[in-house]
Amino acid sequence: QVELTESGGGSVQAGGSLRLSCAASGYILSSNTNCMGWFRQAPGKGREGVATIYSGSGDTSYADSVKGRFTISRDNAKNTVYLQMNSLKPEDTAMYYCASGGFRTSSGACTMWHFGYNYWGQGTQVTVSS
């Protein structure tokens, strides 16, 4: 049974940084070629893709709103995926979710569509104050 557990959320001021972690259990990151991603959902809004990583090659994709500020990475030895968030803005405030089991699009990139992922964590709250 695949389980994803997020941690690292919190409250920061604008311009600050946070690092989210997603610990996976029930499968081995390094032996499974699939897409993993970070998504977020603000109150009253839909769930949006933030960043994705292909576990095989490590190829990454980012939403335009976070490019240059967020970095997704993986540590196969720890079976963990990270999201380093720098230069945080109030509009980054949301519940952040880790997801796995996603598919690659025809271009080879991992999908940013949340319905394309099979497994989800419970989420971790990120609040950025101005």
Side-chain angles (χ1 to χ4, degrees):
Q1 181 179 353
V2 176
E3 289 190 1
L4 303 174
T5 305
E6 303 99 333
S7 61
S11 298
V12 295
Q13 290 191 327
S17 298
L18 284 172
R19 188 176 80 155
L20 305 184
S21 299
C22 172
S25 63
Y27 77 102
I28 307 298
L29 243 63
S30 60
S31 64
N32 284 271
T33 51
N34 79 108
C35 293
M36 296 190 70
W38 285 97
F39 294 77
R40 66 186 181 186
Q41 187 165 15
K45 295 188 177 181
R47 192 166 295 190
E48 63 170 345
V50 174
T52 64
I53 186 166
Y54 185 59
S55 60
S57 63
D59 289 347
T60 58
S61 298
Y62 297 92
D64 288 342
S65 59
V66 306
K67 281 180 182 177
R69 300 189 299 122
F70 291 11
T71 302
I72 188 171
S73 62
R74 74 195 193 292
D75 184 333
N76 289 341
K78 295 183 178 181
N79 228 36
T80 299
V81 173
Y82 302 97
L83 184 68
Q84 178 67 43
M85 305 186 295
N86 299 327
S87 302
L88 282 161
K89 304 175 181 180
E91 51 263 44
D92 294 319
T93 295
M95 185 71 80
Y96 282 70
Y97 298 91
C98 175
S100 181
F103 64 84
R104 301 173 85 184
T105 67
S106 58
S107 68
C110 289
T111 181
M112 283 281 190
W113 186 50
H114 65 278
F115 285 113
Y117 288 78
N118 295 320
Y119 305 103
W120 292 86
Q122 293 300 307
T124 185
Q125 178 68 37
V126 171
T127 303
V128 184
S129 58
S130 58

